[in-house]
Amino acid sequence: MRTVAAVVALVACVHAGLWLLGREKVNAPNFDGQLASVSYAPFQGNVNPEDGGKAETAKIRQDLTLLSPIAKSLRTYSSTAGVELVPGIAAEFGMRVTVGAWIDKDQKRNEREMRSVVDLAKRHSNVNGIFVGNETIYRGELEPKVGDKLDPEEAEQLKAAKTKQQDAKVREDIGVARLIKMIRQVKRQVNVPVTTGEIYSVWLDHPELVSSVDYIAAHILPYWEGFSDKQVVDQAITIYDKLRRAYPGKRVVIAEFGWPSAGYNFHNAEPGRIEQAVILRDFVTRAQAYGIDYNIVEAIDQPWKIFEGGVGPYWGIFNADRQAKFAWTGPITNPDYWKLGAIALLVSILLSLPILTVASVSFWQTTTLAAAANVVGAWSAALFGYWYGHYFVPGAAFALALGTVLLIPLIVIALARVEEIAAIAFGRKPARLVPLAPPLAPDMPTPKVSIHIPAYREPPEMLKQTLDAVAALDYANFECIVVVNNTPDPAMWMPIEEHCKQLGDRFKFVLANNLKGFKAGALRLADSHTAEDAEVIGIIDADYVVTNDWLRDLMPLFNDPTVGMVQAPQDHRDGHRSPLHAAMNAEYAGFFDIGMVQRNEHNAIVTHGTMVLMRRKAIEAVGGWSSDTICEDTDLGLCLLEHGWQAHYTSKRYGYGLLPDTYDAFKKQRDRWAYGGFQILKKHWRRMLSRDTRLTGDQKREFALGWLNWLGAESVGVVVAILNILWVPVIAFLDISVPDRILTVPIVASFIVSLVHFVALYRLRVKTTRVEMAAAAIAAMSVQWTVARAVAMGLIKDHLPFVRTDKGGGRRKTDFHAFWESVMAALLVAGAITLIETNYKEVREIYIFAFVLLVQALPFAAAVVIALWERSRINDFAVLEGYRATFATLARRARLAKVTQSVAPQQIAAKQPELTQ
C-alpha cells in the first residue's frame, strides 16, 4: 500500500514538474503610459446591437472608469442603440472620442447615423473626429446590387464594363463615390476632422477616397493576412510607411491595430493571450517612439461578434468580465496557468485513488495507471480552461456540452483498456484460471452430467459429428439430450433420431415443432427430459466437437459446493477454410484469451451457451432458462453470479465448433450478441444498483465496464461519426463552429489506445501470427456499425426474433454485405477531403478534424474491405500460396540479377546453383 501510494505521488510530482517546466514566461517592452486610443463598443456579454440590443448609461460609466486610466481617447463605430451616450460620459472622465457612423445597405439607418454623429460633434467638445463608415468599401456595402436604383452616370459606367473583373471594379468605384458623397455631406456640417475606416489596401487603390477625407484612417491587422506573431509589428510599420510614401503630406493614422487572445489560427497567425500581450506592448512602444498615431482594437471583448470567425469575440485588452488579460509592464505570463495546473493535479490524484485499492499491484502497473490518470487530469484542466476562456452562444455551449458528454465514455473506456494493458503486461499472472486438471482419481465422485444440445435446422452430418464426440467422452456417468426444435423437414431430423438410437440409451432424441422461446425454450424442454439423478447440466452447440477429456478435467471443480458454473472457451475447427475464416477465428480468440481471463479474476465471466457446465441446483435456484432475452446463456450466467454462485473459467480448448459461413452470418451473430447484451443490460441494471444482489463491487465494475467497452464504445463511435458528418457543411461552407482540438484530439487518442491495447494484448496472450492478428483487428473494427445498430434497436424494441447463424458450409453468399458501412466510410472520407480543400485559412483545428474523420472512417472501411475480400480471389489459401511462390521466385531472380552485375563472369557459374536452390 505504501509503495503504491509512493508511486502515485511520484507520478503526480512528475506531472507537477511538467507544469512547472511548461510555464511560458516572455519578456516584452514595458509600457507605462496611456494608450493613444482604443475601440469601444459599450455592450455587455452577448447583447447584440444588430438584434436590438442597447447600451446602458450605468454600464458605460463603469467601463470608462476602467478605461480612462489607460487610454486617452475612444473610437466608436456607430452613434445609435445607446452608443451616442458615450461622448457625454467620456467627457466626465476627460476622454476624447472619435465617433462613428455605421454605414451599410440600410439607407434609412445610414441617414440616422449621419445625423447622430453631426449632432454629437456639435454638442460635445470632446468629440475630436468622425468616421463615416467602417470598412464600408471592403465589405461592399454601397456597391450597386441587382434591382438597385442607379443614377445615369452609374448606369453608364456599368454598361461600359465588358468583363467580370471590369464589372467588379466599376461596382467598387461606384461604392467609393457614394461613400465620398456621404463623407462630404457630413464634413459640410461639422468643424472636426472627418474620415472613414478602411483596410490599408483600399486607401492604396483609391486616391480619390484619400482626397475626400481629412486624414487616412488605415486598418492594419496582420492577423488577417496570416503573419506570425514575430512579424506583426514590423509588418504594421512597413504598411504605415508605405501609406506615408504613397500620400506624402497626408496625415496617416493606424485606426485599427490589434491581435486576438483566443480563437483559431489564420495561416501562420496564432492567437493567444501571451501573443496578444507581446504584440501590443511592442507595437505601442514603437509607435510612441516613431510618433505614429494609432487606435487599438479593442478595449473590451465582444462575445456577440461571432460573425467575425473564431477570433471575433477576443480582440479586447479586457475580457467580457472587465478583467485585464495581461499587464503592460513586467514579464508576461498566463495568469490562469497555476489555477489550471492545480485542477489538473487535483483531478489526476482523484482518478489515481482507485489504484490504492488494487491488490498486489506492481511498480510498472501502478506507474502506467497513474500516468493515464494524470493525462486525463491534464485534459480536464485544458477543457476547463477552454470553457473558462471562451464565450459561448447557446448553440456553441450545447455543442461543447454534447461533445464532452460523448467523450466521457470514450475516456472511461480508454482508461479501462490502459488498466487491462497494465494488468496483463506488468501485473501478476492470473490466479483463478483453471489449470490443466489431472485425470479423475478412482475414488473421486463422478456426479452425473446431462449434456443438452439444442438444434434448430442444423445440417445432420454436422450434428452427427457432435454426437460422436460426446459418445467418446472419457467420463462414464453422463447422458445426452438432443432437442431438435422447429425443424419440420424430416430430412434434417430423422437422421439424427436414428443416430441417437445407434449411440445407445444414454442419448435421448426430442423433436419439438412449434416450440416457443428460441434456444431457451429448447433448453427448458431438455430440462424436462433430464434424468432425476443428474447434478450438472452441460450445454454445447450443435456444431461443437468436444475433446474426450472435457468432463474428466472440469467436473472435479464441482466438488466445491459453491461452484455453480464452469466455462470453457469457444474455438473453431474450420479456420483453414479461407483467410477470412482464419481472421474470424483470430478475432474470437481475443475475447476468450484476454477478456475472459481477466474477468475470471473477479468471478465475473460472461457465460456463452456452449462448452459450459452448470450445477442443476443453481439453475433451478435462479428460475431456469429465461426467454426474455435472445442471449439466454449470458442472462442465466449473470443470474447465477447475482445469487452468489462461483464461476470458473479455463482457457484450455475442450471443444471446436464451426465458424459462420459468410461475413453476413458473422455480422448477424454479432448483431444477436449485441442486441441480447443490451436486453440483459436493461433487465439487470436496477438489480446491480440495488442491495438485493450478492454481486461484489468488482463484479459490478467488470460487467459495467464490459457493457460500456463493447456496447458503449461502438455506439458512441457511430453517433459521433454521424454528428461529425452533419457538421462538415457547417464548417466548410458557413465557416463557423470549428470543433476545438480539446474535443477532437481525445478521439484520436482513444483510437490509439485501442490500437495499442489490441496489438499488445494479442502479442501477450493470443497464439496467432502477425498477419492473423492484423486480419483479426480488421474483423473486430468491421462490426462497429453492426453493434451500434443492435444497440439502437435495443433502445426502441424490447424483443426481436432469434436469428440462426449459418454454419457448416451449407451456404455461400456472394452479395455485398457492407452497404451502409460503405456509405458511412464514403461520407467520412468525402467530409475530410472537403474540409481540407476548403480550408483556405489553413486553420489547424480543421486539419485535425479532417484527420479525425479519416480515423472514424476506418471501422466502416474495414467492413468494406472484408466484404470485398470475401468475394475476391485472395480469399483462398491456394491463391495466396501461389502469389507467395511467385514473389519468392521473383525475389530469387532479382538477387541473381544483382549478383550477376556485381561479380566477375567466371564467378557466376559457381554462385548460380547456390542462388537457385
Side-chain angles (χ1 to χ4, degrees):
M1 176 69 173
R2 292 181 179 178
T3 302
V4 174
V7 173
V8 169
L10 175 62
V11 174
C13 288
V14 171
H15 186 188
L18 292 175
W19 276 90
L20 182 63
L21 292 173
R23 186 186 183 216
E24 195 172 1
K25 187 176 182 180
V26 181
N27 292 317
N30 292 328
F31 179 77
D32 54 7
Q34 282 185 301
L35 299 173
S37 176
V38 293
S39 297
Y40 174 60
F43 302 103
Q44 304 286 320
N46 287 314
V47 174
N48 187 345
E50 298 298 322
D51 294 333
K54 291 185 177 295
E56 301 175 14
T57 301
K59 299 295 184 181
I60 296 173
R61 188 167 281 110
Q62 291 176 5
D63 287 345
L64 299 193
T65 301
L66 180 71
L67 295 175
S68 58
I70 67 166
K72 300 175 184 178
S73 181
L74 301 174
R75 177 190 169 186
T76 63
Y77 289 79
S78 73
S79 294
T80 56
V83 185
E84 69 274 11
L85 301 173
V86 172
I89 299 172
E92 300 173 13
F93 295 88
M95 300 182 77
R96 297 187 300 274
V97 181
T98 304
V99 295
W102 186 260
I103 303 298
D104 57 21
K105 296 178 177 65
D106 187 342
Q107 294 300 321
K108 293 183 178 179
R109 176 180 173 176
N110 294 344
E111 292 172 2
R112 288 197 305 270
E113 289 279 346
M114 288 192 292
R115 286 197 300 268
S116 181
V117 293
V118 169
D119 179 64
L120 291 173
K122 291 179 177 180
R123 288 195 297 114
H124 298 288
S125 60
N126 64 326
V127 172
N128 63 346
I130 294 174
F131 277 67
V132 179
N134 179 69
E135 297 184 357
T136 307
I137 304 303
Y138 175 70
R139 298 197 316 274
E141 297 286 359
L142 297 180
E143 292 180 7
K145 302 296 187 292
V146 177
D148 284 358
K149 184 178 180 180
L150 303 175
D151 62 34
E153 184 180 351
E154 291 174 342
E156 189 64 29
Q157 288 176 313
L158 284 173
K159 186 177 180 181
K162 302 301 182 183
T163 65
K164 287 185 178 180
Q165 290 80 4
Q166 291 175 346
D167 183 80
K169 181 65 170 61
V170 168
R171 290 180 184 277
E172 182 175 304
D173 290 342
I174 292 173
V176 172
R178 290 176 174 180
L179 180 60
I180 289 173
K181 290 180 181 179
M182 292 180 176
I183 292 170
R184 289 173 177 171
Q185 179 183 340
V186 172
K187 286 179 70 174
R188 286 194 296 268
Q189 302 177 68
V190 298
N191 295 318
V192 296
V194 179
T195 187
T196 186
E198 283 294 345
I199 62 173
Y200 70 90
S201 61
V202 171
W203 294 108
L204 293 171
D205 293 341
H206 293 281
E208 71 277 21
L209 182 62
V210 175
S211 299
S212 71
V213 299
D214 292 315
Y215 63 90
I216 297 171
H219 294 177
I220 303 176
L221 299 169
Y223 170 85
W224 291 116
E225 296 181 273
F227 287 96
S228 73
D229 55 294
K230 303 296 188 297
Q231 304 169 299
V232 170
V233 177
D234 289 337
Q235 175 68 9
I237 293 174
T238 298
I239 293 171
Y240 175 81
D241 289 339
K242 188 174 183 179
L243 288 169
R244 289 287 301 272
R245 290 193 303 271
Y247 303 105
K250 194 78 173 184
R251 180 188 173 201
V252 178
V253 175
I254 298 180
E256 277 191 358
F257 178 87
W259 197 260
S261 61
Y264 304 117
N265 70 291
F266 185 85
H267 298 289
N268 294 324
E270 293 284 353
R273 292 180 69 169
I274 290 178
E275 289 82 359
Q276 183 190 48
V278 171
I279 289 169
L280 292 184
R281 282 171 55 170
D282 187 17
F283 172 77
V284 296
T285 54
R286 291 171 68 176
Q288 187 178 51
Y290 298 158
I292 299 173
D293 200 359
Y294 65 87
N295 173 75
I296 298 298
V297 61
E298 61 190 319
I300 300 169
D301 282 349
Q302 298 296 306
W304 57 275
K305 290 187 177 180
I306 56 173
F307 57 87
E308 294 182 2
V311 297
Y314 304 105
W315 291 82
I317 57 178
F318 290 88
N319 65 23
D321 293 326
R322 277 53 180 173
Q323 297 171 334
K325 294 182 182 178
F326 58 88
W328 289 93
T329 59
I332 299 171
T333 60
N334 182 353
D336 297 325
Y337 187 80
W338 293 122
K339 296 177 185 176
L340 298 178
I343 292 172
L345 289 171
L346 177 62
V347 174
S348 301
I349 291 170
L350 291 175
L351 292 176
S352 299
L353 291 179
I355 304 173
L356 304 178
T357 65
V358 180
S360 305
V361 63
S362 69
F363 172 82
W364 286 112
Q365 189 177 1
T366 304
T367 302
T368 303
L369 296 175
N374 279 263
V375 168
V376 176
W379 174 80
S380 301
L383 179 63
F384 178 83
Y386 183 79
W387 176 267
Y388 179 75
H390 288 74
Y391 310 113
F392 299 94
V393 295
F398 174 78
L400 179 64
L402 177 62
T404 303
V405 168
L406 291 173
L407 279 180
I408 288 174
L410 292 183
I411 291 172
V412 172
I413 291 165
L415 287 175
R417 288 175 177 171
V418 170
E419 180 186 16
E420 197 166 42
I421 293 171
I424 294 174
F426 307 120
R428 59 182 174 81
K429 293 183 178 180
R432 292 189 78 247
L433 189 64
V434 176
L436 302 182
L440 288 171
D443 58 345
M444 186 175 291
T446 56
K448 187 168 187 175
V449 180
S450 182
I451 300 172
H452 297 174
I453 306 177
Y456 168 63
R457 300 185 180 183
E458 304 290 356
E461 294 304 316
M462 179 187 76
L463 187 49
K464 286 181 182 180
Q465 284 183 279
T466 300
L467 296 174
D468 291 341
V470 171
L473 283 170
D474 186 13
Y475 191 88
N477 195 12
F478 78 88
E479 68 173 2
C480 180
I481 302 174
V482 183
V483 179
V484 177
N485 65 99
N486 301 319
T487 308
D489 186 357
M492 298 190 76
W493 61 261
M494 289 184 66
I496 304 304
E497 181 181 34
E498 182 62 28
H499 199 67
C500 286
K501 293 177 181 178
Q502 294 175 5
L503 292 175
D505 295 338
R506 292 193 298 183
F507 288 79
K508 301 178 183 179
F509 175 82
V510 180
L511 177 64
N513 286 317
N514 300 318
L515 182 67
K516 296 181 179 180
F518 310 122
K519 185 177 177 180
L523 291 171
R524 286 195 298 270
L525 182 59
D527 285 341
S528 66
H529 290 270
T530 299
E532 291 292 335
D533 57 342
E535 299 181 31
V536 174
I537 305 297
I539 300 99
I540 58 175
D541 280 346
D543 59 312
Y544 263 75
V545 173
V546 297
T547 60
N548 66 350
D549 54 353
W550 175 40
L551 299 183
R552 185 192 67 196
D553 284 1
L554 299 184
M555 280 304 296
L557 294 168
F558 286 95
N559 290 330
D560 180 353
T562 66
V563 172
M565 174 173 58
V566 178
Q567 179 73 66
Q570 293 183 17
D571 208 336
H572 307 90
R573 61 184 185 273
D574 58 343
H576 61 278
R577 285 170 59 186
S578 72
L580 177 57
H581 285 88
M584 291 180 190
N585 199 32
E587 194 272 339
Y588 289 124
F591 175 74
F592 295 105
D593 288 335
I594 300 170
M596 286 288 284
V597 173
Q598 294 307 113
R599 295 176 68 108
N600 183 58
E601 294 301 292
H602 304 286
N603 189 32
I605 63 172
V606 175
T607 307
H608 31 281
T610 188
M611 301 307 302
V612 63
L613 298 169
M614 290 184 168
R615 191 182 296 274
R616 187 179 188 180
K617 179 181 176 182
I619 296 174
E620 294 172 350
V622 301
W625 299 96
S626 172
S627 294
D628 53 6
T629 77
I630 59 174
C631 285
E632 67 297 314
D633 40 16
T634 304
D635 180 34
L636 181 61
L638 179 53
C639 288
L640 263 62
L641 296 176
E642 287 174 337
H643 282 72
W645 291 96
Q646 292 290 309
H648 284 294
Y649 178 72
T650 176
S651 59
K652 179 183 176 182
R653 271 55 175 171
Y654 286 101
Y656 300 86
L658 296 176
L659 291 159
D661 281 339
T662 64
Y663 179 52
D664 185 44
F666 177 73
K667 289 175 63 179
K668 286 180 178 178
Q669 183 187 62
R670 197 59 54 95
D671 178 90
R672 186 178 76 243
W673 291 349
Y675 180 78
F678 195 77
Q679 284 181 311
I680 293 169
L681 171 60
K682 291 198 297 184
K683 177 179 177 178
H684 288 266
W685 71 271
R686 289 185 180 84
R687 299 183 199 173
M688 298 187 74
L689 294 178
S690 72
R691 296 183 179 180
D692 297 332
T693 179
R694 296 178 65 181
L695 290 176
T696 65
D698 284 341
Q699 287 175 312
K700 292 178 180 180
R701 174 182 174 277
E702 287 298 320
F703 276 99
L705 284 178
W707 284 325
L708 180 63
N709 191 22
W710 186 36
L711 303 177
E714 310 293 13
S715 303
V716 171
V718 171
V719 169
V720 173
I722 293 173
L723 291 175
N724 286 346
I725 289 170
L726 296 175
W727 208 243
V728 166
V730 177
I731 298 169
F733 305 117
L734 299 181
D735 194 28
I736 59 173
S737 300
V738 180
D740 192 82
R741 69 190 73 178
I742 202 69
L743 297 178
T744 53
V745 170
I747 296 174
V748 178
S750 176
F751 176 78
I752 292 172
V753 169
S754 297
L755 186 62
V756 171
H757 174 269
F758 189 94
V759 173
L761 300 193
Y762 258 72
R763 296 286 290 170
L764 291 170
R765 282 278 177 85
V766 183
K767 295 179 180 179
T768 186
T769 67
R770 292 184 180 182
V771 173
E772 289 174 340
M773 180 180 68
I778 296 173
M781 285 195 298
S782 74
V783 292
Q784 183 184 64
W785 176 266
T786 300
V787 173
R789 179 183 177 278
V791 172
M793 295 302 294
L795 285 170
I796 61 178
K797 292 187 177 181
D798 289 331
H799 298 287
L800 288 177
F802 182 93
V803 179
R804 177 186 176 273
T805 302
D806 293 330
K807 297 180 180 181
R811 298 182 183 181
R812 180 176 179 81
K813 296 183 179 179
T814 57
D815 294 336
F816 181 72
H817 297 297
F819 173 77
W820 288 110
E821 291 91 334
S822 65
V823 171
M824 288 292 295
L827 289 174
L828 287 165
V829 173
I833 294 172
T834 300
L835 290 174
I836 293 170
E837 291 298 318
T838 58
N839 189 16
Y840 308 116
K841 300 176 183 178
E842 298 181 5
V843 176
R844 188 172 299 105
E845 276 74 7
I846 293 180
Y847 286 131
I848 295 174
F849 187 51
F851 181 70
V852 167
L853 295 182
L854 293 177
V855 169
Q856 290 180 310
L858 290 176
F860 305 108
V864 175
V865 167
I866 291 186
L868 294 174
W869 181 22
E870 181 180 32
R871 305 168 66 188
S872 70
R873 293 183 69 250
I874 61 173
N875 189 30
D876 189 314
F877 283 115
V879 172
L880 291 179
E881 179 59 26
Y883 288 150
R884 189 200 66 78
T886 300
F887 291 147
T889 300
L890 292 174
R892 286 196 298 270
R893 290 177 180 175
R895 291 200 305 272
L896 177 60
K898 185 176 181 180
V899 171
T900 302
Q901 295 172 0
S902 60
V903 301
Q906 59 269 26
Q907 295 175 310
I908 295 176
K911 289 183 173 288
Q912 190 167 7
E914 175 186 345
L915 292 169
T916 56
Q917 285 179 357

